[in-house]
Amino acid sequence: MTGSRVVALGHYQPAKVLTNDDLAAMVDTSDEWITSRVGIKTRHVGGPDEPVDEMAAHAGAKALAAAGLAPSDIDLVLVATSTAIDRSPSMSARVAARLGMGSPAVMDINVVCSGFTHALATADHAIRAGAASRALVIGADKMADIADWTDRSTCVLLGDGAGAAVVTADPAAPGAPGGPGIGPVLWGSVPEMGNAVRIEGTPPRFAQEGQSVYRWATTQLPPIARRVCEKAGIAPEDLAAVVLHQANLRIIEPVARKIGAVNAVIARDVVDSGNTSAASIPMALSKLVERGEVASGAPVLLFGFGGNLSYAGQVIRCP
């Protein structure tokens, strides 16, 4: 059976940077309070003329250029987002139009913070089934649009951005040396705790039960992430990098430690970018690759978690 692999990445962030000191002038907070609780120093915020599909298209164009492909080469576009305001056209359709694509299948995937890893698995499955040959998978969110800027417990977390991956068929069999380019996904959810992370109302606003999410993430997710490695046939100590959803540094560091990835580079893009929801994993991975911190072909654990109290993870070979 034909597998798939990530061949190139790209990312985009708005130019405007919001520092902790900037937030301290807006709500009752401080740089020390934010840094000690979530580890975030800055976040990028898009303006009214910078919609989600524009950020997504910028990231997608960069990934296509890195892959040496034209927009017309793509036959499947998946956009993971939870900040789409309009029902139709979808973000994926708008991205395809912005990039001048031919006639790709287009689909939005809303699994909030684990949206990108769900979308990546969906692209992998489509290629394995022969329904697609080249996919553009994007995570993009404009969290500033749904932030409650009067709530110091949540507004300090959020940032805007997009990350993209080009996924193509990989003829390597699952048992081939080095394994498949994209390993098997492990995904699931905790439906009875779904209200712990919410984007509700008109206009929609982000809210969460921070302590519940923190306890769930730090206690329940490490063994699940280790099972992702088992499904891929990789020992945690052999991982070259771990890219978790960039929710909070106080979640990322203990979860990475409990996974046992003692030799891996741990993505900490949350410090500079904040929580960008579905954009966080592809954006953080794209930056690691751009800086040359992970070798091509090295095994990388991607693990998304959050809204719906859902999760999805897979081990991929770094492009």
Side-chain angles (χ1 to χ4, degrees):
M1 180 182 293
T2 297
S4 70
R5 62 192 178 103
V6 175
V7 296
L9 299 157
H11 66 274
Y12 174 83
Q13 290 177 280
K16 181 180 178 181
V17 175
L18 198 64
T19 67
N20 289 346
D21 289 335
D22 293 332
L23 283 171
M26 299 165 56
V27 292
D28 181 18
T29 191
S30 67
D31 176 64
E32 188 279 330
W33 191 91
I34 298 169
T35 303
S36 64
R37 284 162 176 78
V38 296
I40 298 169
K41 301 295 289 186
T42 61
R43 68 286 292 147
H44 292 246
V45 177
D49 59 345
E50 207 161 15
V52 177
D53 58 294
E54 180 177 313
M55 295 192 298
H58 283 311
K62 290 180 180 179
L64 287 171
L69 295 175
S72 58
D73 293 326
I74 299 297
D75 53 16
L76 173 63
V77 180
L78 301 176
V79 176
T81 185
S82 57
T83 52
I85 303 302
D86 301 326
R87 300 290 192 270
S88 182
S90 65
M91 286 295 173
S92 50
R94 285 176 166 165
V95 167
R98 281 185 179 272
L99 295 177
M101 292 182 167
S103 56
V106 291
M107 189 188 311
D108 287 2
I109 294 179
N110 179 3
V111 203
V112 199
C113 305
S114 60
F116 178 78
T117 43
H118 277 82
L120 186 63
T122 302
D124 174 54
H125 298 163
I127 290 172
R128 287 175 180 271
S133 58
R134 297 186 183 95
L136 180 62
V137 184
I138 303 173
D141 271 307
K142 193 176 181 185
M143 303 303 287
D145 279 355
I146 61 170
D148 179 351
W149 294 104
T150 67
D151 179 6
R152 74 168 189 169
S153 67
T154 57
C155 74
V156 302
L157 299 170
L158 306 176
D160 301 340
V166 174
V167 182
T168 68
D170 181 359
I182 298 178
V185 69
L186 177 61
W187 51 15
S189 66
V190 187
E192 65 273 19
M193 292 180 66
N195 283 335
V197 180
R198 303 178 299 281
I199 302 173
E200 296 177 328
T202 306
R205 289 291 176 261
F206 172 85
Q208 69 171 2
E209 297 168 13
Q211 287 303 310
S212 296
V213 174
Y214 176 82
R215 285 193 297 270
W216 171 71
T218 55
T219 61
Q220 302 302 308
L221 295 184
I224 297 173
R226 288 196 296 271
R227 285 171 53 205
V228 174
C229 296
E230 290 174 11
K231 286 174 71 74
I234 296 289
E237 58 268 25
D238 292 331
L239 291 169
V242 171
V243 185
L244 305 176
H245 165 50
Q246 301 292 292
N248 178 333
L249 201 59
R250 290 182 60 220
I251 292 176
I252 293 167
E253 291 182 333
V255 170
R257 184 172 62 251
K258 291 176 182 179
I259 290 171
V262 293
N263 299 310
V265 174
I266 309 301
R268 293 180 173 86
D269 188 50
V270 68
V271 175
D272 301 314
S273 301
N275 181 342
T276 56
S277 193
S280 77
I281 287 177
M283 197 159 64
L285 178 60
S286 178
K287 291 180 182 181
L288 288 180
V289 171
E290 187 174 77
R291 295 193 297 262
E293 294 185 35
V294 187
S296 178
V300 178
L301 171 65
L302 308 182
F303 193 72
F305 56 87
N308 317 295
L309 286 207
S310 57
Y311 55 84
Q314 58 269 101
V315 174
I316 72 165
R317 293 285 163 178
C318 186

